[in-house]
Amino acid sequence: MEAGEEPGLKNQTYFTLQGFSCLTALQVLLFEGILIMFLITMTGNFLIILVATADPALHTPMYYFLKNLALIEICFTLNIVPKMLMDLLLERKIISFSACALQLYFVIFFVTSECFLLSAMAYDRYVAICHPLHYTTRMNRQMCFHMVIACWVAGIPFSAGLTGWLFSYPFCGSKEIEHFFCDIAPVLDLVCSDTYLFELLVFVATVTIVLIPFILIAASYVRIIHTILQMQSSEGRRKAFFTCFAHLVVVTLFYCTTGLIHLKPRSRFLVKSRKLVALSYTVVTPMLNPIIYSLRNKEVKHALRKTFGRKQFSKMHLPRGFHLFSKSCSHLKG
């Protein structure tokens, strides 16, 4: 029996993802653009994992965290983008009840893990720049391993608790999810009963997952910038500031978009705009992260040449987006 036949039916068998149905004329263009960004994301993040594992020179805390960040980005992207690409080409955009719940579980899991990992990376940079003499003792292999494990495990209770509670509610007659993937806000719109306690839990969880790590990152960078300003070398200051600026742009984009969507799940404003906001952290940010964090880094370029061989690497045809972004970065640095 379908949910449309009985209001408040709990045993929903499937949902329909509305996605970008309102942009019918742009479906092919959206498909091509998102596909290109998907390929760039996969290529860039796989390259980071490969070189950070293969080259002993990159066996440092910073690249250990970057390797885990790349893995999170790959998993997060695979959880959302392939289904979105399929839906852009299909007329009926269906997702089963269990698949929707599973997708939401992994969305929360990977977002939580990434938030805490970005905070760990900021702490790593804080120790490296502000306390260089204690860096090797503070950020030893065991410490880094425990920090990364904590970041991965942190996502389990939040994702299991929120997903289990949300999908235990009865759903109303409509099966149409006004989004391109199963997220808390659009699924919550279909619930019939009172969700005040759940929304309160979502708010508390969002503050824990998003705002607290963001505040820690901001505090770390305040100390980092203060230390950089005291450096004698103007060239060193310029390079350090450029790196911090790029990092903070991505962190701010990621945290502000996820926070904007989840702090007020049923905001009327977000019903109309959350698809575009969500695109930034589901498609754009995972693509930019490997470029901003690593692929403009001389150590990574050197590691790529060592891994693939100088001739082979020079002949590699990376996606066009890498070269366009590299040129823009060069102008910024200049």
Side-chain angles (χ1 to χ4, degrees):
M1 185 183 290
E2 292 186 356
E5 299 172 9
E6 183 180 337
L9 184 66
K10 205 169 182 178
N11 298 322
Q12 192 76 280
T13 56
Y14 67 88
F15 296 106
T16 302
L17 292 168
Q18 291 301 297
F20 300 98
S21 303
C22 58
L23 304 173
T24 310
L26 300 174
Q27 296 285 301
V28 175
L29 185 63
L30 277 170
F31 175 84
E32 291 174 349
I34 293 170
L35 178 61
I36 290 170
M37 287 188 280
F38 172 72
L39 294 174
I40 293 173
T41 300
M42 291 293 105
T43 304
N45 285 294
F46 271 120
L47 282 175
I48 288 174
I49 293 173
L50 180 64
V51 299
T53 304
D55 191 345
L58 300 185
H59 291 177
T60 62
M62 184 178 78
Y63 291 105
Y64 181 65
F65 289 129
L66 281 173
K67 186 165 62 172
N68 279 274
L69 178 65
L71 181 58
I72 289 176
E73 298 291 18
I74 288 170
C75 296
F76 181 72
T77 303
L78 289 174
N79 183 44
I80 295 174
V81 177
K83 171 65 177 167
M84 177 170 47
L85 290 171
M86 243 176 22
D87 288 345
L88 284 169
L89 298 180
L90 298 176
E91 242 178 85
R92 205 171 181 210
K93 312 168 197 307
I94 292 173
I95 186 168
S96 70
F97 181 88
S98 56
C100 185
L102 192 63
Q103 186 181 56
L104 178 59
Y105 173 89
F106 283 116
V107 166
I108 299 171
F109 175 78
F110 291 124
V111 166
T112 304
S113 298
E114 181 163 350
C115 283
F116 284 109
L117 186 61
L118 288 172
S119 181
M121 291 168 68
Y123 176 75
D124 171 66
R125 292 298 83 205
Y126 161 73
V127 177
I129 295 173
C130 301
H131 303 282
L133 298 178
H134 302 285
Y135 183 69
T136 53
T137 54
R138 282 198 193 181
M139 301 302 296
N140 56 60
R141 183 175 294 184
Q142 188 178 15
M143 178 65 171
C144 293
F145 176 75
H146 288 158
M147 288 175 72
V148 165
I149 291 297
C151 292
W152 281 96
V153 172
I156 297 175
F158 290 104
S159 53
L162 292 173
T163 304
W165 192 352
L166 179 57
F167 279 85
S168 70
Y169 280 118
F171 292 93
C172 298
S174 175
K175 293 192 263 188
E176 295 182 353
I177 295 177
E178 285 292 338
H179 212 0
F180 55 85
F181 70 97
C182 291
D183 201 2
I184 291 175
V187 175
L188 193 62
D189 289 339
L190 306 183
V191 174
C192 296
S193 59
D194 179 35
T195 59
Y196 173 77
L197 284 177
F198 179 78
E199 290 183 55
L200 183 62
L201 176 66
V202 170
F203 179 82
V204 173
T206 305
V207 168
T208 306
I209 295 168
V210 178
L211 293 186
I212 292 177
F214 181 74
I215 290 169
L216 292 174
I217 289 171
S220 297
Y221 271 100
V222 167
R223 294 295 302 274
I224 288 170
I225 291 170
H226 179 263
T227 303
I228 290 172
L229 287 172
Q230 295 179 339
M231 290 180 177
Q232 299 298 320
S233 168
S234 59
E235 179 66 19
R237 284 198 304 270
R238 191 173 70 89
K239 287 182 179 179
F241 271 123
F242 178 79
T243 303
C244 291
F245 175 76
H247 184 194
L248 285 172
V249 166
V250 174
V251 168
T252 303
L253 178 65
F254 176 80
Y255 277 102
C256 288
T257 50
T258 52
L260 180 65
I261 286 178
H262 294 118
L263 279 171
K264 291 195 71 179
R266 280 192 162 167
S267 168
R268 293 295 100 192
F269 169 75
L270 291 177
V271 169
K272 297 179 180 178
S273 64
R274 63 187 170 207
K275 293 178 189 178
L276 293 175
V277 176
L279 266 179
S280 65
Y281 75 85
T282 57
V283 179
V284 179
T285 301
M287 177 190 70
L288 293 180
N289 281 349
I291 302 171
I292 292 176
Y293 289 132
S294 295
L295 296 179
R296 289 291 301 166
N297 189 303
K298 290 181 181 179
E299 291 176 334
V300 174
K301 287 183 176 179
H302 180 67
L304 283 168
R305 292 191 186 98
K306 281 174 63 180
T307 304
F308 295 103
R310 185 175 295 273
K311 291 182 180 179
Q312 288 86 342
F313 179 70
S314 63
K315 293 177 183 178
M316 281 178 67
H317 298 288
L318 292 175
R320 191 166 175 261
F322 283 120
H323 304 295
L324 291 174
F325 191 84
S326 294
K327 286 180 182 177
S328 65
C329 283
S330 298
H331 292 311
L332 280 171
K333 292 177 83 173

